[in-house]
Every structure is written in C-alpha cells, then in structure tokens.
Amino acid sequence: MVVRPLLRAIIMGPPGSGKGTISARIIKHFGVKHLSSGDLLRDNMQKKTEVGILAKSYIDQGQLIPDHIMTQLMLNEIKGLDQYNWLLDGFPRTVAQAEALDKECHIDTVIDLDVPFETIKCRLTARWIHPASGRVYNLEFSPPKVQLLWHHISLGSSINLHQIYAAGSGAFEFQCCRKRGQLEIPGH
C-alpha cells in the first residue's frame, strides 16, 4: 500500500485579495482542512478563552497581536491536523511566525495572491463584518439581507460610508484600507 504525502499549504495576500473566496474553493474541490488565523482568533474571543481575552486586549488598544501569541495559537491548532491535508490562511504574517512554522512543519506550497491595489481598495470599502457571527458581507455582491437605515458617516479623510446595514446584534464592523472601526446602530 502506498501512503500519499500530506499537503501543507499557505495562502497569502493583503486583506481584500480574495484569500477567503479562493480558500473556500480549494476546500470544496480538494477536501483540505482550512485554518484561518482570523477565524481562530474570533472563535477564541467569542468563547472568552485565555488567548481570546489576551488577543482582544491588544485589538482593543489598536495593537497587533504579538508573534509569540499568534504562533502558539496556530501551532497548537496545526498539531490537531497532523493526519489531514491543510491550508493556512493569515498565518504566517511575519518572519518570526514563518521561522517558527518552518521549525514545526514542512510547507509544500505557498499561494501568493497578487491583486492590484485599486481592486483591493474597492473590495474593502464595500466589506462589512458582523462581529457576533464573523460573517463577511460585501455591499456590492453579497450584502446583508436586512437593510435598516441609510446614513452618511465621514471617517476623516479616509472614506465616506453611505449605508449602514445590520442583522442580528445590530452592529457591523467595517474594514477599509488601514482604518478599522465599529458601527453601532442606535436602538439595537
């Protein structure tokens, strides 16, 4: 009997480059396990685990989560996937994270998405994330089903948002270029 080697892959690219969309297609067509650092962080924060609480404290201060925390979180999850083909999304992001991963695993392939900045900017200005569920919406091709009100919000010199959508908790987080914030809908 021939034992097939396991695939160890990484997908990389800036926010809005299509990592999530392409990862979903790879998972569907090739049956690999998908490990997203963002999904893992949101899950840990929602469950209020020790790592989740620590990560949230950095995020609330507008800081990046330190390499050693992200590395520990991801490597612990990867150990549980040792019998599966897998695709990493959002990890590693730094040289220190890459070096730590390299010590633990042999990576077979890296998918590096090269998308023009103008395309990314258009995608991110239309991206909304529902914090309670982690669902990602795009106002142009995948909007939330419930439109509550129209409003104009100015975010300094960054961008103007003209629509506020809400579902569930009544709040959407938005990501736009290098700015981040959260919108709360009054009365929800």
Side-chain angles (χ1 to χ4, degrees):
M1 181 168 97
V2 175
V3 178
R4 289 183 137 170
L6 294 171
L7 175 68
R8 305 295 188 234
I10 298 171
I11 188 164
M12 302 177 81
S17 61
K19 294 183 301 292
T21 301
I22 292 170
S23 292
R25 291 177 184 167
I26 291 170
I27 294 160
K28 180 180 177 183
H29 293 289
F30 297 104
V32 302
K33 299 287 182 179
H34 179 239
L35 186 54
S36 162
S37 60
D39 292 347
L40 189 56
L41 279 171
R42 281 186 289 277
D43 184 54
N44 275 268
M45 287 188 286
Q46 183 179 18
K47 292 178 179 174
K48 296 184 176 17
T49 66
E50 183 179 339
V51 171
I53 292 167
L54 186 59
K56 187 173 181 342
S57 72
Y58 284 100
I59 291 169
D60 288 348
Q61 296 173 40
Q63 298 177 358
L64 296 175
I65 298 167
D67 286 338
H68 70 278
I69 295 171
M70 283 306 305
T71 299
Q72 177 185 355
L73 179 67
M74 292 299 289
L75 291 180
N76 284 342
E77 288 294 315
I78 289 169
K79 287 177 185 172
L81 298 176
D82 63 344
Q83 299 298 312
Y84 300 97
N85 296 310
W86 47 253
L87 174 66
L88 298 181
D89 174 356
F91 181 86
R93 288 186 189 235
T94 67
V95 172
Q97 291 175 6
E99 289 171 344
L101 178 63
D102 190 47
K103 288 179 185 173
E104 298 294 322
C105 314
H106 170 76
I107 301 301
D108 299 303
T109 192
V110 175
I111 303 163
D112 185 19
L113 304 178
D114 184 17
V115 180
F117 178 74
E118 286 302 315
T119 301
I120 291 171
K121 192 165 70 170
C122 288
R123 289 176 183 173
L124 290 181
T125 57
R127 177 186 283 184
W128 292 70
I129 299 172
H130 184 246
S133 67
R135 283 186 300 257
V136 177
Y137 296 97
N138 184 293
L139 298 179
E140 294 175 9
F141 60 83
S142 179
K145 293 179 181 171
V146 179
Q147 180 182 351
L148 290 183
L149 60 107
W150 288 82
H151 193 69
H152 174 80
I153 297 174
S154 176
L155 300 173
S157 61
S158 173
I159 184 171
N160 292 324
L161 301 175
H162 298 282
Q163 299 178 24
I164 298 178
Y165 285 88
S169 72
F172 274 90
E173 182 178 336
F174 64 89
Q175 294 180 333
C176 173
C177 301
R178 297 189 184 269
K179 298 253 180 193
R180 232 181 132 88
Q182 185 163 326
L183 298 176
E184 293 289 340
I185 309 298
H188 287 74

